[in-house]
Amino acid sequence: MTNVVVLIKQVPDTWSERKLRESDWTLDRASADPVLDEINERAVEEALLIKEKNGGEVTVLCAGPDSAADAIRKALSMGADKAIHINDEGMHGSDALQTSWVLAKALGTVEGVELVIAGNESTDGRVGAVPAIIAEYLGLPQLTQLRKLEVDGDTVRGERETDDGVFGLEASLPAIVSVNEKINEPRFPSFKGIMAAKKKPIEVLTLAELGVEGDEVGVSNAASQVTSAAPKPPKAAGEKVTDEGDGGSKIAEYLVSQKII
């Protein structure tokens, strides 16, 4: 049996226009429809596949405001067994280091956890370091950026694809892994799963209940801060090249002028 915790996050819709709040330059989560991050769906799917093969239990762990409960319910409707929701206004504006610290403290409350699965990066922050930071805080082995994952007894194995080739990774449980978009295709929640999710337990925790002090988190205590921002400029019209027999040369000249080639 393998007890798995999946880290999930509610993010603004990937295809929406995302904005920053001018008051503190943090992400304006109310400016776009909130959704469960797509890479998290793949992480949940991988945990469910491991459970179906080896038995055990799947817990989802999420830090976020009240609205994050919708993302949690979707993960539960896919088949996860239960959830932990860290819901505390003190988390607002926390950077990757602070968020990782809180998640690490929350993982310490889960009994018998053997494997933690996360996506390789969220679509709102795109830091791509939270799983590794948590592993460092907890002193656990980490296998990151995996395209394949297998649990065999007390061993976890995976494949990481890079520009230099495909590498095989292996570690003893307990461990933390992150997966990329090639890991699987997530299932759609069934009607039965959606109805069952309404009855599955969600434990809501505050920072105080996790033993996290207020000055350890939040935008005012973050190690990195945004001091200003400007809207993305509108797209300019492209440059048209009329082919009068020398179209190829004109395109090459343009690419050279833009230092593309």
Side-chain angles (χ1 to χ4, degrees):
M1 296 178 64
T2 306
N3 291 323
V4 184
V5 174
V6 185
L7 306 182
I8 67 170
K9 187 178 185 182
Q10 187 185 58
V11 298
D13 189 347
T14 307
W15 306 109
S16 64
E17 185 69 26
R18 285 163 285 185
K19 302 177 181 178
L20 298 181
R21 304 196 319 178
E22 293 185 7
S23 58
D24 57 9
W25 303 116
T26 60
L27 185 63
D28 184 358
R29 299 188 180 278
S31 65
D33 293 333
V35 297
L36 173 62
D37 205 341
E38 182 183 348
I39 192 62
N40 295 159
E41 294 183 29
R42 298 177 190 272
V44 171
E45 175 66 24
E46 198 63 21
L48 295 175
L49 293 173
I50 292 172
K51 173 187 171 182
E52 291 165 0
K53 180 179 179 180
N54 302 321
E57 190 173 59
V58 175
T59 302
V60 293
L61 171 59
C62 178
D66 294 344
S67 63
D70 293 335
I72 292 172
R73 287 295 179 194
K74 181 169 186 181
L76 293 175
S77 69
M78 291 176 65
D81 299 290
K82 59 183 181 179
I84 299 172
H85 182 186
I86 306 167
N87 188 352
D88 196 304
E89 181 59 30
M91 284 285 294
H92 172 72
S94 294
D95 62 15
L97 289 170
Q98 295 167 318
T99 300
S100 299
W101 175 243
V102 174
L103 292 173
K105 296 285 280 187
L107 286 168
T109 69
V110 185
E111 293 185 7
V113 57
E114 299 166 275
L115 181 65
V116 178
I117 303 179
N120 58 336
E121 64 178 6
S122 64
T123 55
D124 57 350
R126 315 236 29 171
V127 176
V130 168
I133 297 171
I134 294 174
E136 182 69 18
Y137 280 143
L138 296 178
L140 295 176
Q142 53 175 294
L143 281 66
T144 57
Q145 307 283 340
L146 299 185
R147 70 173 192 177
K148 288 185 179 181
L149 176 62
E150 177 188 12
V151 175
D152 181 12
D154 294 331
T155 302
V156 57
R157 299 185 181 89
E159 284 186 2
R160 178 194 292 153
E161 182 179 357
T162 74
D163 293 338
D164 297 320
V166 177
F167 295 84
L169 307 176
E170 181 177 310
S172 298
L173 296 175
I176 294 178
V177 305
S178 69
V179 299
N180 64 22
E181 71 283 352
K182 294 184 179 181
I183 192 71
N184 58 48
E185 286 297 327
R187 67 192 70 185
F188 289 102
S190 64
F191 178 76
K192 181 180 179 181
I194 293 171
M195 297 305 294
K198 296 180 179 180
K199 299 180 181 179
K200 292 179 179 178
I202 300 177
E203 182 182 8
V204 181
L205 297 174
T206 64
L207 293 174
E209 290 170 325
L210 292 174
V212 177
E213 299 293 336
D215 60 359
E216 295 179 285
V217 295
V219 63
S220 61
N221 302 303
S224 58
Q225 294 184 346
V226 178
T227 57
S228 64
K232 181 172 64 176
K235 289 184 178 180
E239 183 174 333
K240 293 183 179 180
V241 174
T242 301
D243 188 3
E244 298 177 346
D246 59 351
S249 298
K250 289 182 177 179
I251 292 174
E253 290 172 1
Y254 175 78
L255 294 176
V256 170
S257 67
Q258 299 298 312
K259 298 182 179 181
I260 298 175
I261 60 173

